[in-house]
Amino acid sequence: MGEIGTRPFWEAPLASLDAGQWEALCDGCGKCCLHKLEDEDTGRIYPTNVACRLLDLSTARCGDYKHRRRHVPDCLTLTKGKVADIEWLPQSCAYRLRAEGRPLPDWHYLVCGDRDAVHRAGESIVGWTVSEDIAGPLENHLVRRIV
């Protein structure tokens, strides 16, 4: 997982990435692990501050990533083929950015070398989310901020 030619792999087209490079694109923000509500009439997606029960709220990491679908059958498996069609992915999502041909932000660990930079930049779920185990009705947890 390094450079392709003379440029870092994360600057290459998504289609050219191997499985390890694809996984490495994840910035560790945890935003895709937040529950969303969909308006049945309009189809609009509304974000909440409620996280999947597997998400560690202090690190924004899945507690059992390898086996997550055993515990959460509807957990999204993000693929190169799906990424362009998932409108609710956060604007800051590395997969979304690269699918749109845009560069990774300066706080992305692949750019700066620091996995915690995403948290310090305020781009992760750390510090403002609650677990689904204690949240109650999702309608009470809609967020106004753009995730």
Side-chain angles (χ1 to χ4, degrees):
M1 268 192 333
E3 298 193 5
I4 297 176
T6 59
R7 64 180 176 178
F9 74 87
W10 57 88
E11 292 179 1
L14 291 182
S16 69
L17 303 183
D18 65 31
Q21 292 168 334
W22 172 259
E23 285 291 321
L25 269 184
C26 178
D27 57 36
C29 74
K31 292 176 186 176
C32 60
C33 300
L34 296 179
H35 289 280
K36 295 122 189 104
L37 292 175
E38 182 177 1
D39 184 307
E40 292 177 7
D41 296 327
T42 66
R44 183 174 174 191
I45 304 291
Y46 294 91
T48 73
N49 70 332
V50 179
C52 169
R53 70 180 179 278
L54 294 179
L55 194 65
D56 181 322
L57 302 183
S58 64
T59 64
R61 295 304 221 181
C62 183
D64 193 3
Y65 183 75
K66 185 175 181 179
H67 303 109
R68 69 193 185 281
R69 294 191 50 90
R70 253 188 237 163
H71 306 287
V72 183
D74 62 345
C75 180
L76 174 69
T77 298
L78 193 58
T79 65
K80 296 175 200 176
K82 289 180 187 175
V83 71
D85 297 327
I86 302 175
E87 294 178 20
W88 55 259
L89 282 176
Q91 295 294 318
S92 61
C93 175
Y95 297 111
R96 179 184 192 135
L97 291 170
R98 294 307 304 134
E100 294 172 351
R102 296 189 289 150
L104 298 181
D106 291 342
W107 50 258
H108 193 289
Y109 83 96
L110 289 171
V111 175
C112 72
D114 180 357
R115 283 233 179 238
D116 291 328
V118 63
H119 310 308
R120 284 193 306 279
E123 293 294 338
S124 78
I125 61 90
V126 173
W128 61 274
T129 54
V130 63
S131 173
E132 68 183 351
D133 290 336
I134 62 170
L138 293 179
E139 294 81 14
N140 296 337
H141 294 275
L142 296 173
V143 293
R144 298 197 192 287
R145 76 185 259 181
I146 307 244
V147 296

